[in-house]
Amino acid sequence: MGAPSRKNIRAEVFEALGNNPNCEYSYEQLEAFFSQTSGADKTTSKRRTSAFDMWKKLSKEEKEDLKWSEYKTTYPEKAAEFQAQADEHNKLHFEDKPQKSSTKKNNNDELKKEIAKLKKTNKTDDSPKSSPAAPAAPAEDEPEVPAPAEDEPEVPAPAEDDFDKIDVNNDGVISRDEFESYVKEKEEKKDENDENGKNESGGEAESGGEIESGGEEVNESNEEEGEEEEEEEEEEEDEDDNSNKPVFKKKITNMNQYKEWKKNELGIEADKSIPGPDFKEYKTEDNFTPDDYDESKPWFEYIQKNMIVQ
């Protein structure tokens, strides 16, 4: 246990002197005399008074040789009076002097509020403004850029299914082989269209000669009418069958044979695609490999048998 404080020592000395019948001064008078000395400011505590402090002012006879814990249990009413006296004393001496701890706490709360306001203001300043900034005026010495002519051709947007046409294995990545085969296929189609245009122009020239000799072929055409009617009926039946078939415009490969067959098995429309991760799982389940392709596979020549190839 540490050494007693100077205040406690002084209180015990003054209390002993006040209780001595030979001493003409009481405890309160001794405290009053000491408060007028030069050392009073250094030793006197400015803490609040308690009921215990009021009880210490009693004489030894009044305390009946009881400790404070025993006294307030034996005389609770007097202990309450001491507490009322202490409250009155504190009210007079500490009414306009708030405790330092509470003042410090209030200052900290106010400081936190100010910091929160500053953070909120900084976020508001850093956030992008909704209104667009006005365009800067061009410098007088800068030449004006001429607007594009209205008759300039616009670059056509790529078709939605171009990627699917190039990505034959539907793995989400276009390889060099897939790209080269796609370019080759487009060139072949272009060559076919050019040849068809030449054939049509030649057919028109031949039709002029047929008109001149049309009279000689009238009899032959009458004989062939019956055969043509039969052929037309057969073609109409074929058209009725093909009207319900989906159209296939891509390159016919073993991968596409399997893909179109799998979409039909899953109930997916022909113009839709199977997601890449799902397609890989289906290939594993069906043991599909591009090189293993024969009549034993259910997707063998599926496109030719069930779709219209264009």
Side-chain angles (χ1 to χ4, degrees):
M1 183 175 179
S5 63
R6 296 178 63 183
K7 179 184 177 183
N8 292 336
I9 295 173
R10 186 185 73 249
E12 290 178 359
V13 172
F14 287 174
E15 184 179 356
L17 292 173
N19 294 333
N20 191 336
N22 297 324
C23 183
E24 60 180 355
Y25 300 108
S26 65
Y27 176 86
E28 291 82 359
Q29 291 173 329
L30 293 173
E31 283 286 353
F33 291 151
F34 180 77
S35 63
Q36 297 176 7
T37 62
S38 60
D41 295 337
K42 298 180 181 180
T43 58
T44 304
S45 173
K46 296 183 180 180
R47 67 177 180 85
R48 293 175 180 268
T49 305
S50 64
F52 173 71
D53 294 330
M54 295 298 176
W55 172 79
K56 287 195 303 182
K57 297 178 182 180
L58 296 177
S59 63
K60 189 174 182 181
E61 290 79 7
E62 290 175 331
K63 294 179 182 178
E64 299 179 1
D65 294 333
L66 296 175
K67 296 181 179 180
W68 167 244
S69 59
E70 298 173 346
Y71 186 88
K72 65 182 180 180
T73 304
T74 307
Y75 304 104
E77 295 179 355
K78 291 184 178 181
E81 292 179 2
F82 293 150
Q83 184 62 48
Q85 294 174 7
D87 294 341
E88 184 66 22
H89 179 273
N90 294 332
K91 184 177 180 181
L92 293 174
H93 294 82
F94 296 94
E95 182 177 6
D96 297 333
K97 296 179 182 179
Q99 296 181 4
K100 293 183 178 180
S101 60
S102 60
T103 304
K104 185 176 181 181
K105 182 178 180 182
N106 293 335
N107 292 337
N108 290 338
D109 293 340
E110 292 178 359
L111 182 60
K112 289 179 181 179
K113 291 180 181 179
E114 292 296 329
I115 293 173
K117 289 181 181 180
L118 291 174
K119 288 182 178 180
K120 188 176 182 181
T121 305
N122 292 336
K123 289 182 179 179
T124 306
D125 296 339
D126 295 339
S127 60
K129 298 182 180 179
S130 57
S131 57
E140 295 181 358
D141 55 349
E142 291 182 0
E144 296 183 357
V145 180
E150 297 181 357
D151 57 350
E152 290 183 1
E154 296 182 357
V155 179
E160 295 181 357
D161 60 344
D162 278 355
F163 187 86
D164 292 337
K165 289 181 179 179
I166 301 174
D167 186 16
V168 178
N169 57 5
N170 199 17
D171 60 352
V173 180
I174 298 177
S175 63
R176 178 176 293 275
D177 294 337
E178 290 173 337
F179 180 76
E180 291 178 353
S181 60
Y182 175 73
V183 174
K184 183 178 180 181
E185 182 181 356
K186 289 190 68 175
E187 292 177 353
E188 291 176 355
K189 287 184 179 180
K190 184 178 179 182
D191 295 338
E192 291 178 359
N193 294 334
D194 294 342
E195 291 178 0
N196 292 334
K198 292 179 182 180
N199 293 335
E200 289 177 0
S201 61
E204 291 177 358
E206 292 177 359
S207 61
E210 290 177 356
I211 294 173
E212 294 177 358
S213 59
E216 297 177 358
E217 296 179 356
V218 171
N219 295 331
E220 294 179 1
S221 61
N222 291 333
E223 294 177 356
E224 296 176 355
E225 285 181 358
E227 296 178 359
E228 291 179 355
E229 290 178 357
E230 294 178 358
E231 292 177 357
E232 289 177 359
E233 291 177 357
E234 292 177 357
E235 290 178 358
E236 290 177 357
E237 292 177 357
D238 294 338
E239 289 179 358
D240 293 338
D241 295 338
N242 294 334
S243 62
N244 297 325
K245 294 182 179 181
V247 178
F248 183 79
K249 298 181 179 181
K250 301 179 182 179
K251 185 177 180 180
I252 297 177
T253 61
N254 297 346
M255 180 72 72
N256 285 337
Q257 297 279 14
Y258 170 74
K259 186 189 301 181
E260 298 301 327
W261 170 81
K262 193 63 182 178
K263 286 195 289 186
N264 182 65
E265 290 291 316
L266 298 173
I268 300 174
E269 297 180 5
D271 57 347
K272 304 296 182 182
S273 300
I274 302 174
D278 296 342
F279 187 66
K280 291 182 180 180
E281 292 181 3
Y282 294 144
K283 289 192 295 183
T284 303
E285 292 174 359
D286 298 329
N287 296 324
F288 171 79
T289 55
D291 298 333
D292 188 8
Y293 180 73
D294 52 34
E295 296 179 357
S296 64
K297 306 299 180 182
W299 53 83
F300 182 74
E301 294 184 355
Y302 175 84
I303 297 174
Q304 294 89 328
K305 297 176 182 178
N306 300 278
M307 305 180 74
I308 299 174
V309 181
Q310 290 186 356

